[in-house]
Amino acid sequence: MSSTPQSVATSSSKTASSSEEKKGLLSQPRSVWAVFFACIIAFMGLGLVDPILPAIAKQLHATPSQVSLLFTSYNAVMAVAMLITGAISSRLGIKWTLLTGIIIIALFSALGGFSNSIWSLVGLRGGWGLGNALFVATSLAAIVSLSNSGTAKAIILYEAAIGLGISVGPLLGGWLGGMSWRGPFLGVATLMVVAFIGLITLMPKANKKNTLKAKTSLLDPFRALKHRSLLVFGITASLYNFGFFTLLAYAPFVMGLDEHGLGFVFLGWGILLAITSVFMAPKLQQRFGTIKSMSVMLFLFALLLLVMGIWTSTQWVIIAAVILAGAMLGNNNTLITTAVMNAAPVERSTASAAYSFLRFIGGAIAPYLAGKLAEWYNPQVPFIVGAGFVFVSVLFIWINYKHVNHVDHAGSGH
């Protein structure tokens, strides 16, 4: 994938930003909307499972820490698989990498729907993570390369798809989960078939717009981490993901709500995440800069986790904090993704793979750790520990500020 979209070949000129402004976020080719729709469905899988975590624990006779392994296996496989996504997509091309990812997600989510033990379900979620890795890493590259509005707006569109998927997922999960915990798994499989049809129909055939020019080596993501800025953002994301996945995987167990109730809470969380990632984050970035805005959002998120840790037994506090956390996470996701894309002079797909590898390591450890901390100590400790990790991520950014502050000066059209 070339470092600038072909459709905006003049984006390096001084007049690029004004022309991109005229084109607007919504004037995209059909192929971009096909990937956008597929992204929504793929990211539904993240929030879809939330409302059914207590139901899975009850019906499969599992502890919260065992159920949290549904996130751990998913994220652990994603982390490792991210390292091979560049090598695969540079050989198969973006279109067929996306389609392969979709087939794997559909297969493993369908098998998950027929599973009868927590351990087989954990293993199948790992397979789902492999499909998601292929899809997620490549979908960002696809939207950026096929978009005609420039990198900054393409990233906003991508984050909007994530936000919509994460927000609709819990609502659908709560509705389907109200009938059976198997429903959400089979629902994802069905939706991924729809996404497959959309992509194979609307995405253009392999050409230099959606195929990487040079074959990527398996070592490229590790080489990319030699760039201090990319390493800093990856470690920062790994640290803040301890808080993010503590909230996602453990909060459902302390809210005392049924599948429908949990679905609505995480719907509110996801809506705030979607709105802030698209509308608020770019304004914060323009006014205060990427690094300062990111640090403030992470600090506020850490405070919310601390509040959840102090008032864990007060239901309305937990519900309000989860929903409000969506705003912090929506802003931060867009800010850090944009920063990563401008962090190092490497292919965007390679930068995304290297960053995602580190990010999902945190996402793999956090859910299981949260469940175990609650079992060893009490329900408050997971949130307090999660808050501690997020506070450390803010400190880590500022300790390394001189290595990352150049992203504030990177042009939005680059």
Side-chain angles (χ1 to χ4, degrees):
M1 182 183 69
S2 58
S3 59
T4 53
Q6 187 182 1
S7 56
V8 282
T10 58
S11 63
S12 57
S13 68
K14 293 180 181 178
T15 58
S17 58
S18 61
S19 65
E20 284 170 15
E21 203 67 43
K22 288 176 186 174
K23 283 183 179 177
L25 187 68
L26 301 178
S27 56
Q28 305 289 349
R30 285 191 308 167
S31 55
V32 170
W33 292 116
V35 179
F36 178 82
F37 174 70
C39 280
I40 292 173
I41 297 171
F43 280 98
M44 276 184 188
L46 190 65
L48 202 80
V49 179
D50 265 333
I52 57 170
L53 291 178
I56 290 173
K58 184 179 178 182
Q59 293 182 37
L60 295 183
H61 310 291
T63 65
S65 63
Q66 287 173 334
V67 173
S68 73
L69 288 170
L70 292 175
F71 285 99
T72 294
S73 62
Y74 178 81
N75 285 321
V77 172
M78 273 190 80
V80 177
M82 281 295 176
L83 298 172
I84 63 169
T85 54
I88 292 172
S89 63
S90 66
R91 286 158 177 80
L92 290 182
I94 286 177
K95 180 176 181 176
W96 286 105
T97 306
L98 288 174
L99 292 173
T100 302
I102 285 175
I103 291 168
I104 294 171
I105 293 169
L107 176 64
F108 280 96
S109 57
L111 290 171
F114 294 106
S115 177
N116 289 310
S117 78
I118 187 63
W119 299 113
S120 63
L121 199 56
V122 167
L124 291 167
R125 274 285 282 181
W128 187 341
L130 171 62
N132 229 45
L134 289 171
F135 183 86
V136 169
T138 318
S139 60
L140 176 57
I143 287 180
V144 170
S145 65
L146 293 167
S147 171
N148 56 16
S149 297
T151 301
K153 287 182 180 176
I155 288 171
I156 292 169
L157 200 65
Y158 175 74
E159 292 296 340
I162 292 175
L164 284 168
I166 288 175
S167 59
V168 175
L171 189 64
L172 187 64
W175 178 63
L176 292 172
M179 295 182 274
S180 166
W181 68 262
R182 300 176 190 277
F185 288 91
L186 298 174
V188 166
T190 305
L191 287 169
M192 290 316 280
V193 172
V194 176
F196 180 89
I197 294 167
L199 279 184
I200 203 164
T201 306
L202 296 175
M203 268 195 83
K205 290 181 180 178
N207 56 36
K208 58 186 175 182
K209 215 179 188 186
N210 57 24
T211 307
L212 299 185
K213 285 181 179 178
K215 287 182 178 170
T216 306
S217 163
L218 289 171
L219 295 174
D220 282 354
F222 293 106
R223 293 191 188 108
L225 290 174
K226 290 178 183 176
H227 296 282
R228 183 72 173 264
S229 54
L230 197 56
L231 182 65
V232 169
F233 286 129
I235 292 173
T236 298
S238 186
L239 290 167
Y240 107 79
N241 259 1
F242 271 88
F244 177 53
F245 279 97
T246 294
L247 180 135
L248 211 58
Y250 183 69
F253 289 101
V254 299
M255 271 191 257
L257 297 171
D258 64 9
E259 292 89 346
H260 294 289
L262 288 170
F264 280 114
V265 170
F266 280 98
L267 170 68
W269 171 80
I271 288 171
L272 272 185
L273 189 146
I275 291 170
T276 52
S277 66
V278 176
F279 299 108
M280 190 174 172
K283 286 183 169 54
L284 289 174
Q285 191 176 18
Q286 286 171 6
R287 183 158 184 184
F288 303 108
T290 305
I291 306 302
K292 286 180 184 175
S293 301
M294 195 190 306
S295 300
V296 170
M297 287 301 135
L298 288 173
F299 183 77
L300 291 174
F301 177 47
L303 286 180
L304 275 178
L305 286 170
L306 198 56
V307 166
M308 292 172 76
I310 295 169
W311 288 283
T312 309
S313 57
T314 309
Q315 187 187 51
W316 73 265
V317 173
I318 298 295
I319 291 170
V322 166
I323 293 170
L324 281 174
M328 275 80 254
L329 294 165
N331 279 308
N332 187 67
N333 286 349
T334 296
L335 291 165
I336 200 164
T337 303
T338 307
V340 167
M341 292 297 101
N342 292 314
V346 295
E347 289 281 1
R348 288 198 180 98
S349 57
T350 302
S352 178
Y355 158 73
S356 296
F357 167 66
L358 292 176
R359 175 171 59 136
F360 287 114
I361 288 174
I365 299 169
Y368 185 67
L369 179 65
K372 277 297 178 187
L373 287 171
E375 289 170 18
W376 293 334
Y377 303 105
N378 60 62
Q380 296 173 290
V381 175
F383 297 114
I384 294 169
V385 171
F389 274 105
V390 181
F391 276 126
V392 171
S393 76
V394 179
L395 288 174
F396 187 72
I397 289 175
W398 284 100
I399 289 168
N400 291 279
Y401 180 72
K402 67 179 181 181
H403 299 290
V404 296
N405 66 345
H406 67 279
V407 300
D408 283 328
H409 310 297
S412 62
H414 292 17

